[in-house]
Amino acid sequence: MDTPSALVRHLDQYVIGQDDAKKTIAVAVHTHYRKVDKAQRDGADLTKSNVLLIGPTGTGKTLLCETLSRRLGVPFVTASATSLAQTRFVNDEIEAILQRLVDKAQGDIDRAERGIVFIDEIDKLRKTGEAAGGSSGESVQHALLKIMEGAPVKLAAGRHLNTASILFICGGAFVGLDNIMAQSHGFGFIGAGGGDSQAILDRLNRRVKPTDLFAFGLIPEFTGRLPIVANFGSLDRAALARILTEPRDSLANQFRDLLAAAGVELAIYPRVFEQIAELAFEYKTGARSLRGVFEEMMTPILYVLPDHPEIGRVEIASLFSPPRLLPRAQQPAG
Ligand SMILES: Nc1ncnc2c1ncn2[C@@H]1O[C@H](COP(=O)(O)OP(=O)(O)OP(=O)(O)O)[C@@H](O)[C@H]1O
Ligand SMILES: [Mg+2]
């Protein structure tokens, strides 16, 4: 299995920034599978450390988990806590999630039991607010607790799935948590001499404590099952511009490949990525709006190209001026 640093290097090819979160999660996942292997060898019980990802929407939480599980070759499913809270049959819904994990493992229970389940929008389960006709957030937390702890679950087909070694990663934006932390963290008053000790203080102050999550509205038993917390920062304009070009499967690469398949060269000036990032930044949905803006830019081009096989090169110099459509270089007759 990959070392944590090798996992991070792999993640770097797909996920921009979020360096702290990458390290935290790589170590957590590496440790988890080492524990699973050891427990299997020794026939012992496994004390699992599930992971909580905190950060704004569209900053790479799901992407990072997906990329990691693909690398590890373990089955991976995502579910949303909001939809769990909208049903009266929470346990059926949870069973369905685990069934999807088994399906991802092509029905192989042993493989499914080494899988990763990502539950998003966990912050929507805070203790207040009860959705009409649904289950209270608190009761959903209790239902999730059971599988996160490792209770065996009976699937519809009558088979049992042992959840003891399944890694649960929960995610959420936790809007307002920073205010709670600002009130509860008192490290700032210890006379910080600047430099290194200031950096350590900053780190402690940024650390989310179980009591903060409790104050937010997660029950203590639940926060207790999520001992590892990784923070995702919001993406600035520069990060958004990098996301357009740097990841292996970046939008720029996808469209370059698409046009190349029709024998057309696509050249986009760096300025354009800055302009797209600027717009997407205003939409405040992290990297999510990048695709919309990019597609809008490409649509008129994709509309005319098929009718004009003589076009061999497309140049986009600005988001706000028409692209240049250049004819194919003449092939010497031969
Ligand atoms: N750090 C990043 N690096 C590269 N691409 C990113 C990054 N963050 C987001 N993206 C892009 O934005 C899309 C949405 O990101 P993702 O699904 O990971 O968001 P999220 O943090 O899970 O948000 P939510 O809380 O709404 O579920 C991804 O598919 C990817 O294309
Ligand atoms: Mg997500």
Side-chain angles (χ1 to χ4, degrees):
M1 176 175 163
D2 285 335
T3 62
S5 68
L7 287 175
V8 168
R9 277 195 302 279
H10 179 77
L11 288 171
D12 283 340
Q13 297 176 19
Y14 298 91
V15 184
I16 299 298
Q18 315 299 13
D19 294 345
D20 288 345
K22 280 177 188 159
K23 279 185 201 159
T24 305
I25 296 166
V27 170
V29 165
H30 180 81
T31 310
H32 173 73
Y33 286 105
R34 286 188 51 195
K35 282 202 254 179
V36 169
D37 289 341
K38 184 172 182 332
Q40 221 165 29
R41 274 199 310 273
D42 305 351
D45 279 347
L46 172 79
T47 337
K48 196 170 31 168
S49 297
N50 298 301
V51 181
L52 177 63
L53 312 183
I54 296 181
T57 185
T59 51
K61 299 186 294 293
T62 306
L63 175 69
L64 196 154
C65 297
E66 238 164 29
T67 309
L68 205 54
S69 40
R70 220 183 316 127
R71 175 71 185 184
L72 297 167
V74 299
F76 173 71
V77 292
T78 63
S80 135
T82 312
S83 68
L84 285 177
Q86 274 160 359
T87 169
R88 278 189 292 134
F89 309 102
V90 183
N91 288 317
D92 292 354
E93 193 76 15
I94 289 177
E95 188 194 297
I97 296 169
L98 296 171
Q99 180 60 54
R100 272 198 287 130
L101 189 67
V102 174
D103 295 343
K104 278 279 176 73
Q106 275 93 37
D108 181 340
I109 295 278
D110 286 344
R111 269 197 76 210
E113 289 179 346
R114 288 178 69 96
I116 297 179
V117 175
F118 181 67
I119 303 170
D120 221 344
E121 299 180 17
I122 209 81
D123 50 338
K124 303 287 154 56
L125 300 181
R126 61 197 303 179
K127 252 181 339 194
T128 52
E130 190 159 340
S135 310
S136 75
E138 192 177 353
S139 67
V140 176
Q141 290 184 51
H142 278 289
L144 284 174
L145 262 181
K146 284 192 221 132
I147 55 164
M148 284 168 60
E149 281 189 318
V153 172
K154 193 162 181 277
L155 299 174
R159 298 198 290 178
H160 285 269
L161 185 74
N162 183 353
T163 58
S165 45
I166 294 177
L167 182 66
F168 288 87
I169 302 181
C170 296
F174 289 86
V175 176
L177 187 68
D178 41 353
N179 292 330
I180 293 171
M181 286 171 65
Q183 282 164 27
S184 76
H185 289 232
F187 299 116
F189 290 112
I190 309 168
D196 273 359
S197 54
Q198 185 60 51
I200 292 169
L201 281 185
D202 286 350
R203 231 190 39 230
L204 280 175
N205 279 327
R206 260 187 289 133
R207 229 187 127 251
V208 180
K209 292 183 294 177
T211 44
D212 299 326
L213 296 171
F214 179 57
F216 184 87
L218 294 188
I219 59 175
E221 301 93 309
F222 196 76
T223 62
R225 300 304 183 280
L226 296 165
I228 301 173
V229 179
N231 287 298
F232 282 66
S234 46
L235 301 164
D236 59 15
R237 294 175 179 81
L240 291 175
R242 288 178 59 201
I243 287 172
L244 285 168
T245 56
E246 284 181 28
R248 281 184 149 202
D249 51 355
S250 70
L251 285 164
N253 288 346
Q254 286 177 33
F255 280 93
R256 190 173 305 124
D257 290 351
L258 186 71
L259 266 61
V264 180
E265 205 182 330
L266 174 64
I268 304 176
Y269 290 32
R271 165 112 191 82
V272 176
F273 299 118
E274 287 164 25
Q275 291 169 331
I276 296 175
E278 184 74 31
L279 275 186
F281 186 77
E282 298 303 324
Y283 296 148
K284 295 193 168 40
T285 53
R288 254 177 225 289
S289 329
L290 292 173
R291 177 173 284 276
V293 181
F294 205 104
E295 300 251 5
E296 221 176 283
M297 173 179 83
M298 294 304 297
T299 298
I301 298 166
L302 297 177
Y303 184 77
V304 298
L305 277 186
D307 294 328
H308 294 274
E310 75 278 10
I311 296 171
R313 180 176 162 89
V314 175
E315 284 182 12
I316 309 176
S318 164
L319 190 55
F320 306 109
S321 59
R324 278 170 32 107
L325 308 176
L326 304 166
R328 241 168 248 289
Q330 293 296 318
Q331 297 293 324

